[in-house]
Amino acid sequence: MSSHSFTPRLTLLDLRKLAAKRKLAMLTCYDASFAATLDAAGIDIILIGDSLGMVVQGHDSTLPVTVADVAYHTACVARGAARPWIIADMPFGSFQAGPEPAFANAVTLMQAGSQMVKIEGGAEMAATVEFMVRRGIPVCGHIGLTPQSVNVFGGYRVQGRGADAAARLLADARAVQDAGAAMMVIEATPEPLARRIAEETALITIGIGASAACTGQVLVLHDLLGVGVGKRPRFVKNFLQGADSIDAAVRTYIADVQAGRFPGSEHVYAESAGP
Ligand code: KIV
């Protein structure tokens, strides 16, 4: 008999059971060594975000990232992390053309080692979400500030301010949920709206600049570690400050998220931008 020890990977069912007891902690990650560090620290979910275009590849947006890039980093992460649920981000241009090309690209990412794919967008993506879920691919939506639409938004700006925009975002969340998505990232959205989406949908909601009421939270790993230069969005917290190691910083983030201590009011957005 083999003495090989086997860590079972978390399932969506496990995540729902955990979420009934505490908040879920998610981080982005792009390589095997950090994936092993996050796994040992107890992270629940790892996202191979297309943020890799900015923090790994040095681009000024996520738009240049390809399916091959995300598949490569997903395979690296999957080799390093045994327990966390792994989500691969579908990059710009890989899913917007319709359900069939989206499905084919999602298969590449699932075969690289993810258990779910994430796509940006709302009601306009419902048919694509439904097509993928019905064919065995769990989907995480992403609404609010969707960075692949930076050129439409005119910058990385808070989304969902004002009654019309808020109603559209709520309808988007419902449409993606009704199409079969199990999870939803809500990014840079006024706190009251994000809270409403978290409370009024059955989705596992993951906030980033959203609300502490979400089922869980995500940060870009480099932001958590204070790596990089330039102005940081409001939702970023450098957990390495005051910690004596990367491991300690990651563990503090996980503990703070799980206990509902992060995000604080200083990390979320008000309904109006103020004077
Ligand atoms: O690409 C990414 O890292 C993301 C997170 C910010 C949610 O989409």
Side-chain angles (χ1 to χ4, degrees):
M1 221 165 112
S2 160
S3 61
H4 185 71
S5 76
F6 177 72
T7 307
R9 195 171 292 287
L10 290 175
T11 64
L12 269 177
L13 208 59
D14 293 331
L15 291 175
R16 287 203 178 278
K17 282 188 194 151
L18 287 173
K21 296 186 220 144
R22 59 159 173 81
K23 301 288 179 185
L24 301 178
M26 168 165 152
L27 280 171
T28 70
C29 186
Y30 318 97
D31 70 45
S33 301
F34 272 108
T37 302
L38 303 192
D39 188 2
I43 200 77
D44 300 309
I45 309 168
I46 291 180
L47 169 68
I48 298 85
D50 63 355
S51 51
L52 72 88
M54 298 171 85
V55 300
V56 177
Q57 297 174 331
H59 296 295
D60 64 2
S61 79
T62 59
L63 273 59
V65 176
T66 66
V67 173
D69 292 336
V70 180
Y72 171 80
H73 289 281
T74 297
C76 295
V77 166
R79 283 192 286 269
R83 176 181 167 277
W85 177 256
I86 296 178
I87 308 175
D89 219 352
M90 298 202 68
F92 181 61
S94 70
F95 61 92
Q96 291 90 341
E100 292 187 14
F103 178 79
N105 287 319
V107 167
T108 301
L109 299 179
M110 298 292 281
Q111 289 178 338
S114 68
Q115 284 81 56
M116 178 178 244
V117 298
K118 176 169 83 60
I119 71 171
E120 295 185 5
E124 73 284 4
M125 289 302 151
T128 297
V129 172
E130 183 172 356
F131 190 93
M132 293 200 285
V133 172
R134 281 175 162 267
R135 287 159 182 78
I137 299 182
V139 174
C140 174
H142 184 161
I143 59 167
L145 170 52
T146 45
Q148 292 172 18
S149 298
V150 61
N151 295 309
V152 174
F153 295 151
Y156 296 100
R157 311 161 75 90
V158 175
Q159 300 297 310
R161 278 192 167 133
D164 289 353
R168 266 199 309 276
L169 220 50
L170 191 55
D172 280 338
R174 290 200 175 113
V176 174
Q177 167 180 260
D178 293 349
M183 201 179 288
M184 167 84 74
V185 168
I186 308 172
E187 180 167 354
T189 299
E191 197 281 335
L193 173 61
R195 174 178 294 272
R196 206 171 152 204
I197 295 170
E199 289 173 353
E200 291 185 18
T201 66
L203 292 155
I204 296 174
T205 49
I206 304 288
I208 174 165
S211 170
C214 290
T215 321
Q217 302 293 324
V218 62
L219 276 184
V220 169
L221 181 59
H222 292 57
D223 288 342
L224 174 146
L225 298 175
V227 177
V229 289
K231 189 167 178 285
R232 304 276 159 164
R234 183 181 175 89
F235 53 73
V236 168
K237 177 171 175 186
N238 179 349
F239 282 84
L240 198 54
Q241 255 164 13
D244 60 8
S245 66
I246 288 173
D247 180 56
V250 169
R251 284 177 192 268
T252 302
Y253 167 75
I254 293 172
D256 283 3
V257 168
Q258 289 182 348
R261 288 188 294 267
F262 178 80
S265 55
E266 68 276 30
H267 304 118
V268 297
Y269 296 93
E271 200 127 51
S272 97

